[in-house]
Structures are given as structure tokens and as C-alpha cells.
Amino acid sequence: MTTTPNKAAAPSVDAPVAEAPAKPAPSAPPKTERPYSPGLEGVIAAETAVGYVDGANGRLLYRGYPIGQLVEKGTYGRVAELLWTGEWRKSAKLVPAPVPDPVMCALHELPRHTHPMDALRTAVSVWGAWRRPHWPPTVDQARELTAFAPSALAAFHRLRQGLEPVAPNPKLSLAGGFLQQLTGVDPDPANARALDAYFIVGAEHGLNASTFTCRVIISTRSDLASAICGAIGALKGPLHGGAPAEVVSQLHEIGSPDHAERWVREAIERGDRIMGFGHRVYRAYDPRAAALRKVAEGMSDMAEWLDVAVKVEDVVLRVFGELKPDRVIKTNVEYYAAAVLQGVGLPPDLFPPTFALARMAGWGAHAIEQASADKLIRPDARYVGPAEMDVPALGH
Ligand code: SDX
């Protein structure tokens, strides 16, 4: 039998509330002994077998394979399957898929000035509304999304120029098919290979902001389309995937390597961020920058741009060493990603969504892994707001 606590009759709702005796303001919440790390810097928030970012030694492994070897010996299709399934299959292929009709209708409705990242996010969102992918996310869902996304972005790019979209050529690779649908002609094989290498390099990078966003959304048992839309939103920021486009304008602003020293010092003194440098995890040269620099050096008519970029890079690294001696700031992936993306003929505002196309593989792999962990991601926060107090009496 439950006993009801001995309670005085509850005052009627309209009885005047007697001034409660002033409560001693409780002391501020106890400082928790748990460490607080702004931006979760250095916090281990998941266990993953998908990718290993060895920040101290500048190493990157996808399911144990070093990024340099994957670029030399792999294709994006094989690397995507490796990330999704954990298996290296030589026969794995990923061909560009047609844009589903509901997605194409939505792309036709977008204003021409739409930011390409917003266009890609819209395409994924409409795919989710149409396809209704169930939780848990599957390799098939990841494959389907990764295969049509380049076609959707290319279709948007043509529509915003007043051109009709081009159907994908299934004989081409995903990267080659993307270039073909952008221009309407089959790409130079060297450019297709260079972009495929970029896709491999951009495919996965541990718990970066966009992948973490994807995992948080999956951890609530939400669907893959919602998770990828969130990830695209995170990647859009200039501190994350928006950097390579800024690298191009930065180098344009610097003009010649002779102006680099002054430009860099002034930028750092203003507190500006030099795009293409620094990283939350790497305290060494980003192995992806090295891989993409090699790819760019093999591209036709990039020699002059690269010559300036390499000289400016040397100046930036030297000045960082002098002005920020306590923080190892090295070149990151975006610096030479800008060279490759420009070299295959993409306009700078397509750099971030092209990065998103590449990262679809890693996002999908992490979504699948998070679903199998099936643990809601919900960190705590240290409350630093006002101590408890009463709402002022009515009329005050
Ligand atoms: C990507 O996480 C990932 O893996 C991301 C990514 C992936 O594959 O998913 O690798 C892709 O996002 C690469 C990074 C692309 N972004 C840029 O190139 C933008 C420029 N970089 C910076 O904004 C910065 O380096 C970050 C954001 C990338 C990392 O910054 P952190 O680790 O949060 O370091 P911080 O901002 O706390 O900076 C520490 C100090 C600061 O100096 P103080 O104010 O303490 O004196 O270093 C300075 C910063 O000012 N600093 C820079 C700098 N990077 C760090 N100063 C100028 N220019 C920079 N680029």
C-alpha cells in the first residue's frame, strides 16, 4: 500500500503566493572533477576500426592500409568498399548512378545562386524523403548514396549555368563520371585519375567534425540521409571542408612568392587563419598533403601554380615556426587539394561539395559502425550559468 506524504492542502492556484522566505543562494554547482576539453580536443569519443589518424607521426591508415599505398594501388571504388566492409576486393567498382527523378525535380527548383553545398545537402535530403532509408544504415544504402551524389552535384552545376544535366557514362569511374557530367564530354584520363586519387585521400579521416556529426545523428537511431545532411552542414564551414576554395583566393591575393612573407605575417598578426595549414590532430605534415602534392606534380599545366604554392608554403611554415613556436602548425590536406581540384577544372565553389562526395564513403562507414555500437552520443556540459533563483513575483 502506498502512503501519501502528509501534505498541507495545496494552495488554490489563484491564492496570493506568500513571499517565500529568501532562500540562501545555493553555491554555484560543484566544479566537476571531470576534465573539460574545449571542442572535445584530445577526447576519445568512440572506438573505430575504419580509419587511424596518427597525428604525432603524420600517418593515416584506412582499415590498416597506408594512404600513400591506397592512392598508388587503389581506386575510389575499391577504397569505398574497403571502408564499408573491411575487405579489399580488387573487383570492387563504383560507377556513377543516374539522379533519381524526385531529386532531379528538386534540383530544377533550386535558385541558381544556391550554394553548391546546400544543393548537395538538398539532393541527399530529397533522396532520404523518397528512399526512406531505414535504421540501421547498410552498405547498400551507402553505396547508392555515394553513387548518385556526384551526378546530382554535376546536374546542379549545369542547371545553374542554364544547361541541361548530362546522363552518367557507366563505363567511367565515379570521379571520371563526375567530370563527364560536369562538362558533357569524357574527361582526360589523367584528370580522371587525379580526381580519383583526390577522392581516395578525402574518403575518411577519423572523428573529424562532419564524421562526428554523422555519428551523433546515427546514434539516436536516425537514418542515413539525415546523418549525411548533418555531415554536409558541418563540412561546409571554412575551418573544415570550406578551406581549399580559400586556399586558391589566398594564393591569388598573395600574388607572387616575394609578397608571401609580409602577407603571412600581417594575416597572423590580425588573427586570421591561413587556409590549408594547421590541424586539430596532426602535429606533423599531413600525409594526404604529400600524396596530393605528388598527384598535382603529375598534372599537366599545373607547374606554374604549383611553383608559387610550394614557395608560399615554405614561407608560411617558416613564419609559423617563428610566431607560433609552441604549436606545430603544418600543411594540411586542403593546401594541395586546391591544386588538384583546380587542375581538373573545377571552379572553387565546387571544392567543398567535391570533398563531400569523397567523404561519403567514410561517413557511410562510420554510420554503419556507429549503428552497430548502438550507443547514444550525449556528452555532459559544465554549467557556468546563474545559480538557482526565483522568478520575480508577478507584476515585477
Ligand atoms: C580539415 O579534423 C579533420 O580531420 C579535418 C580534416 C578531415 O579530413 O576531415 O582533416 C579536413 O578540416 C582540414 C583543416 C582545414 N581547415 C583549414 O585549413 C583552416 C585553417 N586551419 C585552422 O583553422 C586550424 O588549424 C584548425 C581549425 C584546422 C585546427 O585548429 P585547432 O586544432 O582547433 O587549433 P586552434 O584553432 O586552437 O589554434 C591553436 C593555435 C591558435 O593560436 P593562439 O590563438 O592559441 O595563439 O594555433 C593557431 C591559432 O590561431 N592556428 C592558426 C592556424 N591553425 C592554428 N593560426 C593561423 N592559421 C592557421 N591555419
Side-chain angles (χ1 to χ4, degrees):
M1 187 181 82
T2 51
T3 52
T4 47
N6 180 12
K7 269 184 9 179
S12 75
V13 286
D14 48 9
V17 177
E19 280 296 310
K23 281 185 235 167
S27 57
K31 287 250 178 268
T32 52
E33 66 292 340
R34 283 169 293 156
Y36 162 48
S37 174
L40 297 182
E41 181 160 6
V43 171
I44 305 282
E47 285 189 336
T48 180
V50 177
Y52 174 48
V53 181
D54 177 358
N57 302 302
R59 276 193 317 154
L60 173 59
L61 310 178
Y62 290 178
R63 301 270 188 196
Y65 295 103
I67 189 66
Q69 292 185 30
L70 290 170
V71 169
E72 274 163 43
K73 299 176 187 164
T75 63
Y76 183 67
R78 287 184 204 140
V79 167
E81 284 296 318
L82 170 71
L83 292 170
W84 291 328
T85 66
E87 277 142 49
W88 179 257
R89 289 193 6 247
K90 256 181 96 54
S91 59
K93 265 175 80 74
L94 197 55
V95 294
V99 181
D101 290 345
V103 178
M104 190 62 91
C105 292
L107 293 175
H108 271 89
E109 294 305 314
L110 286 177
R112 287 188 183 179
H113 65 263
T114 300
H115 190 296
M117 280 296 255
D118 297 344
L120 181 61
R121 194 192 60 228
T122 301
V124 173
S125 183
V126 173
W127 174 80
W130 167 71
R131 194 72 177 67
R132 298 165 61 86
H134 54 75
W135 189 94
T138 64
V139 174
D140 284 345
Q141 288 173 10
R143 201 177 282 127
E144 181 179 328
L145 187 53
T146 307
F148 95 80
S151 306
L153 180 61
F156 165 72
H157 179 60
R158 289 186 66 83
L159 288 167
R160 70 173 176 173
Q161 301 171 85
L163 301 170
E164 275 308 302
V166 170
N169 175 351
K171 293 196 188 73
L172 296 172
S173 68
L174 200 71
F178 175 51
L179 292 175
Q180 171 255 342
Q181 292 179 88
L182 285 171
T183 61
V185 295
D186 283 1
D188 168 344
N191 281 351
R193 180 80 198 105
L195 191 62
D196 191 78
Y198 169 79
F199 270 47
I200 291 171
V201 164
E204 149 66 6
H205 209 245
L207 224 48
N208 56 83
S210 54
T211 300
F212 185 63
T213 303
C214 170
R215 289 191 74 130
V216 169
I217 294 170
I218 291 294
S219 83
T220 72
R221 294 193 179 181
S222 184
D223 63 283
L224 184 64
S226 304
I228 301 297
C229 285
I232 292 170
L235 191 72
K236 183 180 174 187
L239 296 191
H240 190 9
E246 313 270 332
V247 168
V248 174
S249 45
Q250 215 167 245
L251 286 172
H252 188 71
E253 211 179 301
I254 292 173
S256 102
D258 307 341
H259 306 150
E261 177 106 20
R262 181 153 164 242
W263 187 92
V264 172
R265 286 182 186 281
E266 286 172 358
I268 294 176
E269 264 136 39
R270 283 196 305 269
D272 292 357
R273 292 300 168 89
I274 318 278
M275 295 297 152
F277 294 90
H279 199 275
R280 173 60 61 81
V281 178
Y282 285 122
R283 292 294 172 264
Y285 202 92
D286 188 331
R288 301 171 297 172
L292 289 182
R293 176 173 166 177
K294 259 171 84 178
V295 171
E297 282 162 354
M299 295 175 79
S300 50
D301 62 53
M302 281 307 290
E304 197 188 326
W305 193 90
L306 267 179
D307 181 52
V308 172
V310 169
K311 286 182 179 139
V312 169
E313 177 190 22
D314 292 344
V315 171
V316 174
L317 294 176
R318 177 168 49 76
V319 173
F320 269 134
E322 187 195 314
L323 299 184
K324 303 261 179 191
D326 57 339
R327 182 90 183 191
V328 178
I329 303 177
K330 297 287 184 193
T331 313
N332 68 45
V333 63
E334 311 300 16
Y335 194 70
Y336 286 106
V340 175
L341 296 176
Q342 192 171 230
V344 298
L346 297 187
D349 76 346
L350 286 191
F351 290 6
T354 303
F355 188 175
L357 297 181
R359 190 53 56 90
M360 287 280 174
W363 288 336
H366 279 271
I368 292 164
E369 186 178 67
Q370 180 61 42
S372 62
D374 198 13
K375 177 79 178 163
L376 179 69
I377 296 174
R378 200 278 187 215
D380 201 348
R382 175 177 291 162
Y383 176 71
V384 292
E388 184 179 345
M389 54 187 161
D390 291 326
V391 174
L394 289 179
H396 284 76

